[in-house]
Amino acid sequence: MTVVKAKDLIKDYGLNGSTVHALRGITLEFQSGEFAAIAGPSGSGKSTFLHLAGCLDTLTGGTLSVGGQDVANLSKKQLALLRRNSLGFIFQAYNLIPVLTVMENIAFPLTLLGVGKTEIRDRVLQALQEVGLEGMEKRRPKEMSGGQQQRVAIARALVKRPALILADEPTANLDSKIGREILEIMVKLNKNAGTTFLFSTHDPLVMDYARRIVYIRDGQIEKDQVK
Amino acid sequence: MNFASLFELKRMAFRSLARHKAKTILTCAAIMVSVAVYIFMDSWIAGMERESRRNIINYELGAAKLQTKMYFAKKDEMPAYETFQDWETYRDILDESGYHAAPRYVFSGTLYSATGSAPILFNAVDPTAEKRMMAYTGYVELGRFIREGEFAVALGAMTAEKLKAGIPTRPAAPELEEILASELLSAADGDFIRSCYEASETKAAGENLAEGGELRFILKRNLPTGDFDRLWGLMDAIGRNDVRISTVIDLKALPDSIRWDKWVGELWPELTGWEQALLGKLYELDEEEQLYFFTGGGEDEKAAALEAMIRAGFSGAIRHTNQVIDVKVVGMVNSPDPANNFNVGYLPLDILQDEAGMMLEGQVTELLIRDKKMGAADMTSPLENPKTIRAALERGLARRSQTLPSELDVFFWMDYMEDYLGYEAMESGSSRIFSYLLFFLAFFGISNTMLLAILERTKEIGMMRALGMTTGQLYFTFMIEAGLLGILGAALGVLLGCLINIPMVKYGIDFSGMLEELGGNIGYRVAGNFRGAWKLSTIIGSIPVAAVISSLMAFFPIRGAAKKEITSSLRFE
Ligand SMILES: Nc1ncnc2c1ncn2[C@@H]1O[C@H](COP(=O)(O)OP(=O)(O)O)[C@@H](O)[C@H]1O
Ligand SMILES: [Mg+2]
C-alpha cells in the first residue's frame, strides 16, 4: 500500500520579501513497510519534505496524498485528525512534555485518541518494553539521558501503531553508540510489527541502516537508491 | 473530544501550574488581593445600603405614607398646603388592622436663636404616636422629646449645636465663658457647669486645639441623669433655649381676582378644556381694571376650580401668611440617621392648630404607617406593601360606610427616596470602580502569565499539535489552566476577604468624626458606628466569576499560539 505519494511537490517559503524554493518538484512514493531515509546536505529540503509528508505544513504546488488522502482537500482539523490517527513523529530534540511522566508522555497520543485507561496502560507498558525502558514509566524526562529520552519519543510515536513514523534527524543529538541502539530498536519494530519509517538525515549511520535512500539537493531528487 | 482526553488535558494544566510555582503564586496573590478587596468593599457598601434603608424607614419615613396624590406629585417642593383631614379615622382603622400610624404636618421655616439662624424642616408630630413607631424618638441624647401641648421643639443635635441652643457638647473656650458670664447663674451653678466639662486635651491628641488655636471643652458623657437635667435647666434659665420659628403659612384659596396678564400667561395655557370652561364661568374680566373677578359659584364648582389651579401650578391659588412662633428647645436629637440630626425640628402637632400656630384645624400633610410587628432593626414586611395598606384602609372605611377620598393614596417609602436611591446606585458604582480596577490589573496579570506560559511552551504546543491535538483541545487545556489560577486566587481572596470582614461586620467602623467634618451629609443615612454586611452572593459568586474571567483572559494568548504554523512552533527555541 502506498503511504506517501508526492507528485511534482513544490514548497516555497516567503522570507523577508524574497522566496526560498525549498522543494522544487519532488515526485516520490513510499510503500507501507519501508525503512527509508531522505539524505542530503543541510538546507537541501529534507525537513521540509518530512513536514509536508507529516501534514504539518501546506504545500505550494503539486499533489500529495498521505495514507491515501489528498491533503490539499483536508481542513485544519481533518489534518490534525489524520496526524492523530495515522502518523507518528520523532524529533531531533525529543520534544517530550516536561511536566508529565514517561508513562503520561507515551500515553498522550492515545489520550488524544480517546483510548480507555486500562488499555492505555497496557499499551504504554508494551511500548516501553519494545524500546527497552521497562520500569521507567514513573520517571520525568529531565531525569533521563538523551538516548533514553529519544527512546521515550520512539515509544510515543509507535504506541498507537501508526501507518507511518516520520523521524527528523533522530540521531543527530546522540553519540554513535546510542544512535546505533536507537536504530536497532527501530529496525526491530520495522521487522516485527511492520511499522513504516521515514527518516531525514545526514548521519551515515542512519544511511547504513536504511534500506532505501533518497538523496536530495536544493529541493530536487538527486538519486533514489534501494539497497 | 471525549471525557477521558479532557481529563488528561486537565491534569496537564494542573501540573503546569505546579511547575511554574513562582508565577502561579504571584498571579494567585494578585487575584486574591483583588477579590478580597472586592468582598470587603462590597460588604461595606452592602452594610451602608442596608443601614441607610433601614434608617430611612425607621427614622425618617415609616414604611409607607398616606398622603394626597397632589402632594406626592409635588413632593420635591414640599407643598405644605396639600393637606387632608380626618386622619384620626384612618389612624384608628390602621390600628385595628395591625399598623401604627403617626400624623405629621411638614413645613419649612427658619429657626432663629440668640446667636444665629438656620433653615429647618419642621415635623409637627403627635409625640405619642411618633414614639410608638419612629426610632429617632429614642435618640434624644440631651434634654427630652417634645410633649403634647407645649410650645417646644426637639432639634437635630448638630443644628442645635450650631445655633448654640441646648447643651453644648464641644464648646470652644469663649462659648463656655460666655455662658458662665450670665448674670442669671449663681456661683454654684457656674461651678456645676464647669464640672460637667473637661478640656479636650485629656481626650484625644490632635483634638486639643480647634482651628485658630482655641481650647475646646468636651461634655462629660458619664454624668448622672440628674446632672444632665440640671444642666439643661440652667441653659433654659439663661435663655439659650428660646428660639423663634419664622415661616409662611400656605393655604389653598380661590383668589377673588386674578390679574389679566397672569390669567392669560400662567393659568389659561395650563388648563384642560373643561377646566377652562369652568373658570370661564366663575370669573369675569373687568376690561378697565385688567382683572378677572370671581363672580360666584357652587361649593363643588369652587373646589374643582381650586383643584384645577393647584394642578396647573398656579401660584395665585396659594395664599401666603407670614407666621412667627416662639418655642423652647427641649431636646437634641442625635440618631443613627444623620438626616434627623441636621436642620430638622420636631414640634407637637396640637399647638399648630389655630392662629398661634399654622391654622391647621385638624389638617395634616401625611400619615406615616408601619407594621406593628416591625421594630427599629427591621426593614419592611409584606404587610407594608402600599396596596395591602390601602386595601386595609378601604375595608375599614367600608365598615364605617365611608370611602377613601379619591385625592388620597398610600405611597411606599421608596417612592420618596428616588434621590437617595439614585445616589446610592451612583455611589456604590463609583466605590466599586476601585475594585474593578484591581480586578482589571489582576486579570491583566493572568493574561500576562498565560502569555508567558504559552510562549515558553511554544515548542511543546507545536509537538502536541503535531501529534494531533486540535485547536479546540489547545484552547481547552490552557483555559483550564488559567481558570484554575482564577479559582485558586479567588478562593484565597474569599478567605482573606471574609477574615477582614468578620470584625467589620461584628464591630463595625466608627466614622462619626469624619461625618461631622463633612457637615453630616454624606448621602448615605449612616452616622457614627456602622457595620458591614455579609453578602453571600458576592462571596460565592466571585469564585466562578474569577474562573470564567481568567479563562477568557487566556483566550488571546492561546489564539496567538493556535495561529502559529506548527513547523515554526517546533523550530522555536
Ligand atoms: N519556515 C521557513 N521559512 C523560510 N525558509 C525556510 C523555512 N523552513 C526552511 N526554510 C528554508 O528552506 C530550505 C530547506 O530547509 P530544510 O527543509 O530545513 O532543510 P534541511 O532539513 O535539509 O536542512 C532552507 O534553505 C531553509 O533555510
Ligand atoms: Mg532539517
Side-chain angles (χ1 to χ4, degrees), chain A residues 51 56-57 76 80 83-84 89 91 93 95 97-100 104 108 111-112 114 156 160, chain B residues 2 5 8 11-12 15 19 459-460 463 465-470 473 562 565-567 570:
Chain A
H51 287 158
L56 299 177
D57 213 342
K76 238 179 141 180
R83 291 195 297 272
R84 182 189 292 182
F89 289 91
F91 306 97
N95 286 2
I97 301 172
V99 292
L100 300 182
E104 289 159 350
F108 184 75
T111 305
L112 289 179
R156 180 176 65 187
K160 67 184 174 194
Chain B
N2 63 29
S5 62
E8 209 52 42
R11 169 151 56 183
M12 209 154 69
R15 296 271 179 81
R19 179 173 62 161
K459 203 164 178 170
E460 213 173 298
M463 183 277 298
R465 293 175 71 201
L467 295 191
M469 188 186 224
T470 57
Q473 288 171 315
E565 292 281 352
I566 298 174
T567 49
L570 281 170

Side-chain angles (χ1 to χ4, degrees), chain A residues 98-197:
Chain A
V99 292
L100 300 182
T101 61
V102 165
M103 175 81 148
E104 289 159 350
N105 264 290
I106 300 171
F108 184 75
L110 297 180
T111 305
L112 289 179
L113 281 168
V115 176
K117 252 191 150 145
T118 42
E119 193 188 335
I120 286 183
R121 202 185 151 72
D122 293 347
R123 283 170 69 171
V124 170
L125 292 178
Q126 161 87 27
L128 272 174
Q129 199 181 4
E130 282 170 320
V131 299
L133 290 176
E134 299 98 321
M136 297 218 177
E137 63 267 21
K138 291 215 171 67
R139 299 243 186 134
R140 293 290 166 102
K142 65 164 184 277
E143 298 161 355
M144 307 181 95
S145 70
Q148 286 172 322
Q149 288 192 47
Q150 194 59 302
R151 286 198 230 181
V152 174
I154 295 170
R156 180 176 65 187
L158 69 84
V159 73
K160 67 184 174 194
R161 304 293 166 202
L164 171 65
I165 293 181
L166 298 154
D168 195 1
E169 315 240 13
T171 57
N173 286 8
L174 306 170
D175 66 38
S176 62
K177 181 171 166 282
I178 307 291
R180 201 176 284 277
E181 283 173 24
I182 296 288
L183 280 162
E184 290 289 351
I185 291 169
M186 294 197 272
V187 167
K188 207 168 81 200
L189 284 167
N190 176 255
K191 279 218 178 85
N192 298 349
T195 312
T196 314
F197 279 90

Side-chain angles (χ1 to χ4, degrees), chain B residues 336-353:
Chain B
D337 181 348
N340 285 312
N341 310 340
F342 294 84
N343 300 71
V344 171
Y346 296 90
L347 305 156
L349 183 60
D350 55 359
I351 61 162
L352 301 183
Q353 300 304 312

